[in-house]
Amino acid sequence: MGGALEGVKVLDLTRVLAGPYCTMILADLGADVIKVEGPGGSDETRSWGPPFQNGVSAYYLCANRNKRSLTVNLKTEEGREIIRTLAKEADVLIHNFKSGSMEKWLLDYDSLQKMNPRLVYCSITGFGETGPFRHLAGYDYIIQGMSGLMSITGSEESGPIKIGVAMVDILTGLYSAISIEAALYEREKSGQGQKIDMSLMDTAVSSLANVASNYLISGKVPQRLGNDHPNIVPYSIFKALDGEMIIAVGNNRQFTTLCEVVGNKELADDEKFRTNEARVKNRAELTRIIENLLIAKTVNEWLELLSDKNIPCGPIHSMDQVFEHPQILAREMVVGVDHPEAGPVNLVGSPIKLSRTKVKIDRHPPIAGEHNSEILQQAGFSEEEISRLKENKII
């Protein structure tokens, strides 16, 4: 059986991470994704490293599997006409050029919609296509700072800290995939495509979730709490005899059980800790008491004792421990593919587990222009035309 999105044709004019991550999700689900770059490969991540494997960037490999590659010089009218030809038969076009670029090239939604009314057209920009900042470029790091994410990440001692991966790009890719799938579903009823305007800044602000709600309701500007939770205590990292672990107590019943396990049953009846609201107010004192009790045993000993009593807890794994973990391996979160230049490479698997239309990884992250002839022939170009396009450096 084919993938859930089998038959969906996607023109992917994105690069770096947010857009490619979105289109990789669509490709994993069975869509035919054509990754469009400039001749020679214009996705910056192809050169981001180390690490490289036989000259192929690990960064590029992380977001581009299951796609075909077409190189087109969009600075030429003939190159732009190739995109228009492909867009006539496409279901989705997605790009992350700065606002105004696609309009200048007559590759904007209004222009392409006239040729293909069913086209779902998604733009990903830093700040969206409306508002006073619409013309500015957007970068994950900068957006993390501007959106408030960094103001709540880290501790008072550390100062603002960015998240360890480009999470705004990842979340924007996810939101974009959801939006595209919603537009495709709606098209089944209306017969019409539509434009999707995605913004890294919007995504970052939406990801603030309960922290944003706390501010909007209370008017109090949240402070950095390190590994602590603003609304729940004890819900943090705690030191044991040989290292650190996470304990995440979410209700009074769990707190009472925790007190019993660590050997201070009376703690649950103390007025300063009896309710979650009281525990939040007395966070520092409670943390000191718990850590003084946890120092008696190792992390693994506590994890076993707490897990037996259904207290949410867990270790803090390094990357090697993650990818050696039996649960990760059992869930096929490491997949191997053969790459014509890099050789055998391991990629992170898909978290999407469908019972019938299973995710398949059939294609390696493509070499730039690897499928030029195949894609253009399918679009009706003759071998002579393709040869001429190559000679004139259009593709």
Side-chain angles (χ1 to χ4, degrees):
M1 181 171 290
L5 294 180
E6 184 176 20
V8 173
K9 299 179 180 179
V10 180
L11 265 181
D12 176 11
L13 279 69
T14 67
R15 60 204 185 281
V16 186
L17 189 54
Y21 197 81
C22 166
T23 54
M24 183 177 70
I25 294 170
L26 302 178
D28 283 354
L29 290 170
D32 178 16
V33 175
I34 297 174
K35 181 178 178 67
V36 179
E37 300 175 74
S42 56
D43 189 327
E44 293 92 328
T45 63
R46 289 185 181 275
S47 63
W48 285 5
F52 297 93
Q53 183 163 310
N54 295 332
V56 180
S57 162
Y59 200 121
Y60 170 76
L61 292 171
C62 86
N64 288 288
R65 65 175 178 238
N66 276 341
K67 304 175 187 180
R68 297 191 288 166
S69 173
L70 172 69
T71 53
V72 177
N73 186 351
L74 293 179
K75 296 179 180 179
T76 67
E77 178 56 30
E78 196 165 8
R80 295 191 289 270
E81 190 59 32
I82 291 174
I83 300 301
R84 296 186 190 105
T85 299
L86 294 171
K88 290 177 183 177
E89 302 299 324
D91 297 289
V92 178
L93 184 146
I94 177 170
H95 76 86
N96 63 350
F97 289 102
K98 286 176 62 176
S99 294
S101 297
M102 298 295 272
E103 287 78 6
K104 179 181 65 177
W105 292 335
L106 296 180
L107 296 175
D108 55 295
Y109 174 68
D110 289 339
S111 299
L112 297 182
Q113 187 266 349
K114 294 174 183 176
M115 296 183 287
N116 182 359
R118 291 175 55 82
L119 182 66
V120 172
Y121 186 105
C122 179
S123 72
I124 297 177
T125 57
F127 297 92
E129 297 196 7
T130 58
F133 281 25
R134 65 186 180 277
H135 296 301
L136 297 181
Y139 300 91
D140 179 281
Y141 198 168
I142 295 170
I143 298 294
Q144 285 197 38
M146 292 183 67
S147 67
L149 272 174
M150 287 178 61
S151 77
I152 59 170
T153 305
S155 64
E156 287 304 311
E157 293 75 22
S158 72
I161 297 289
K162 74 176 181 68
I163 300 169
V165 296
M167 189 55 69
V168 176
D169 278 342
I170 296 296
L171 291 174
T172 304
L174 287 165
Y175 271 122
S176 298
I178 293 167
S179 300
I180 289 168
E181 290 161 350
L184 290 171
Y185 178 77
E186 191 279 336
R187 190 181 69 172
E188 294 301 304
K189 296 176 283 186
S190 68
Q192 299 292 310
Q194 57 184 301
K195 183 178 180 181
I196 301 166
D197 174 8
M198 297 300 303
S199 154
L200 270 68
M201 187 68 162
D202 294 351
T203 295
V205 171
S206 75
S207 74
L208 295 172
N210 61 294
V211 177
S213 185
N214 290 347
Y215 167 72
L216 293 172
I217 298 302
S218 71
K220 296 180 180 178
V221 176
Q223 303 301 306
R224 289 181 292 278
L225 292 173
N227 292 305
D228 292 347
H229 194 290
N231 304 107
I232 311 171
V233 174
Y235 202 102
S236 187
I237 289 178
F238 294 88
K239 294 179 181 178
L241 179 62
D242 63 342
E244 295 176 316
M245 59 185 290
I246 298 167
I247 298 175
V249 167
N251 57 52
N252 290 332
R253 178 188 58 78
Q254 290 177 347
F255 180 66
T256 298
T257 305
L258 172 67
C259 294
E260 293 173 357
V261 173
V262 298
N264 192 339
K265 184 177 181 180
E266 295 76 18
L267 200 60
D269 296 321
D270 191 314
E271 288 288 343
K272 291 182 290 185
F273 311 126
R274 184 177 295 169
T275 67
N276 181 70
E277 183 177 0
R279 293 193 291 272
V280 170
K281 291 179 181 177
N282 297 287
R283 178 195 306 271
E285 182 180 355
L286 180 58
T287 298
R288 285 194 297 270
I289 293 171
I290 293 175
E291 287 197 332
N292 285 336
L293 295 167
L294 293 176
I295 202 70
K297 299 181 187 297
T298 66
V299 167
N300 285 337
E301 287 173 330
W302 283 122
L303 290 177
E304 184 175 351
L305 289 169
L306 293 170
S307 296
D308 285 344
K309 296 296 184 179
N310 295 316
I311 301 299
C313 61
I316 302 169
H317 284 154
S318 59
M319 206 61 63
D320 56 332
Q321 291 172 314
V322 171
F323 288 107
E324 293 169 358
H325 197 284
Q327 182 66 18
I328 297 302
L329 298 176
R331 297 288 290 176
E332 298 181 336
M333 288 306 296
V334 180
V335 293
V337 299
D338 289 322
H339 191 280
E341 292 181 341
V345 295
N346 284 329
L347 304 177
V348 177
S350 172
I352 300 172
K353 314 295 186 187
L354 299 173
S355 64
R356 289 190 300 107
T357 53
K358 296 181 183 297
V359 167
K360 298 178 181 178
I361 299 177
D362 297 324
R363 293 181 180 273
H364 58 265
I367 300 168
E370 182 176 349
H371 305 96
N372 279 359
S373 296
E374 175 185 307
I375 292 168
L376 293 176
Q377 285 175 357
Q378 290 174 350
F381 288 79
S382 67
E383 291 185 11
E384 291 76 14
E385 288 176 302
I386 295 170
S387 295
R388 182 183 60 78
L389 291 169
K390 288 179 180 178
E391 290 173 5
N392 293 336
K393 298 182 178 179
I394 304 299
I395 62 174

